Amino acid sequence: MSTDVHQHIWPPAFTELLRTRTTAPYLDGWTLHLHGEPPYRVAPADHDIAARTALARTDGLRLALVSLSSPLGIEYLPADEARPLLTAFHEGALALPAPFGVWASAHLRTPDPDALTRDLARGCVGLQLPATALLDEAGWTRCAPLIDALADTGKPLFVHPGAAPPGAPGAPPWWPALVPYVQQLHSAWFAFRAFGRRAHPTLRVCFAALAGLAPLHGERLAARGGGRGTVDRDVFYDTSSYGTRAVDALVRAVGIDAIVAGSDRPYAPPTTPDLGADAAVHALRTTNPARLLKGAAL
């Protein structure tokens, strides 16, 4: 089964709720306004369910996992603002046709493990958390009730970039995706290594965008007393927005079994890294995502 672990679709009811808002995050027509990013003109076809379903099938996918766009910052809104948006996303995403599946999201001001358990029981494949929630020991501790509820179900965690802080004046439009998003993932990966794994020894976790390439700093980590350690076989890295050079480098650091295909569609198209063997591509698209989602043995 060919799988893309990282896509985004806004269901119609969710989109309409964004249009009722007057403070970020909100939609003005099809223009998205966020606190930390320039206004972004959304292409309507990107969230047209029929068009995206056809595209996923053209891509040869048997499973495409969609998640809430954490850079919107919905998880941190006041409860009376966040919960209707989360409900609209979950209900709309769970109703999407094949080949789509759904990562659950959770309100982080007042975490509700019982609500997460219900969403997982309804069919969500795991939990997505923004990297901004997991930057240090305190973050992993605050999110522990949600992660414990997740681990009780045997389902994985997906760590996605969160909201970007206000950018420097004159910063180009690509700045949030290349600077704060990558820094967040980098920090969350090291925080997991230092604090998260100890607290959640059986958790399977996938970091978007190759964890901001954090595993490539292994030599510096060893030089500064962090130790090389062994490769954690329950940590995975999606390939979103990266190509052959970055994926090949990460394979050398953590092994082919840790890499899973993720495109971040519609914000980036899927790519197929040239790793020199069809078996490697099969691992990224089929074998490794199955192990991420189900915990299958190597």
Side-chain angles (χ1 to χ4, degrees):
M1 180 172 68
S2 184
T3 297
D4 183 336
V5 304
H6 183 180
Q7 295 199 6
H8 302 283
I9 297 177
W10 297 345
F14 176 81
T15 302
E16 291 307 313
L17 280 178
L18 286 178
R19 290 199 175 102
T20 68
R21 296 179 54 81
T22 57
T23 58
Y26 71 94
L27 275 173
D28 180 5
W30 282 103
T31 300
L32 177 65
H33 295 265
L34 302 177
H35 285 299
E37 304 192 31
Y40 175 74
R41 178 67 179 173
V42 177
D46 287 347
H47 301 285
D48 179 275
I49 293 172
R52 288 292 302 277
T53 302
L55 188 57
R57 291 171 178 166
T58 298
D59 288 339
L61 295 176
R62 293 283 301 279
L63 183 62
L65 300 181
V66 300
S67 64
L68 185 70
S69 299
S70 284
L72 297 176
I74 289 169
E75 298 96 331
Y76 285 105
L77 291 173
D80 62 340
E81 298 179 42
R83 290 202 167 114
L85 287 161
L86 291 171
T87 297
F89 171 75
H90 287 133
E91 291 184 353
L94 285 166
L96 291 171
F100 293 108
V102 187
W103 293 100
S105 285
H107 189 232
L108 295 178
R109 287 198 185 188
T110 54
D112 185 346
D114 291 336
L116 171 62
T117 299
R118 290 192 294 272
D119 288 329
L120 296 172
R122 293 167 66 197
C124 291
V125 300
L127 171 65
Q128 176 189 270
L129 288 176
T132 47
L134 301 169
L135 300 178
D136 51 24
E137 184 176 17
W140 283 94
T141 299
R142 283 192 299 271
C143 292
L146 293 170
I147 298 172
D148 287 340
L150 176 71
D152 286 344
T153 70
K155 294 185 177 183
L157 174 67
F158 181 43
V159 182
H160 187 283
W174 48 258
W175 186 268
L178 268 294
V179 182
Y181 287 8
V182 171
Q183 291 171 342
Q184 293 169 18
L185 290 165
H186 183 110
S187 296
W189 186 85
F190 277 102
F192 176 74
R193 181 185 175 106
F195 313 112
R197 175 50 85 204
R198 182 175 65 230
H200 307 286
T202 65
L203 180 69
R204 299 189 308 282
V205 55
C206 179
F207 289 85
L210 301 182
L213 302 181
L216 299 186
H217 294 268
E219 292 166 322
R220 181 172 176 82
L221 178 66
R224 295 305 176 100
R228 289 186 180 275
T230 58
V231 173
D232 190 327
R233 296 297 180 185
D234 285 324
V235 178
F236 299 81
Y237 307 87
D238 97 35
T239 59
S240 54
S241 300
Y242 285 102
T244 299
R245 285 182 292 180
V247 173
D248 181 71
L250 213 73
V251 167
R252 293 171 186 272
V254 300
I256 188 65
D257 298 317
I259 314 299
V260 294
S263 67
D264 200 19
R265 192 185 281 281
Y267 306 109
T271 60
T272 302
D274 182 6
L275 300 178
D278 291 342
V281 174
H282 180 78
L284 268 61
R285 291 181 172 177
T286 303
T287 307
N288 300 346
R291 192 165 64 86
L292 166 66
L293 296 175
K294 301 297 184 183
L298 284 171

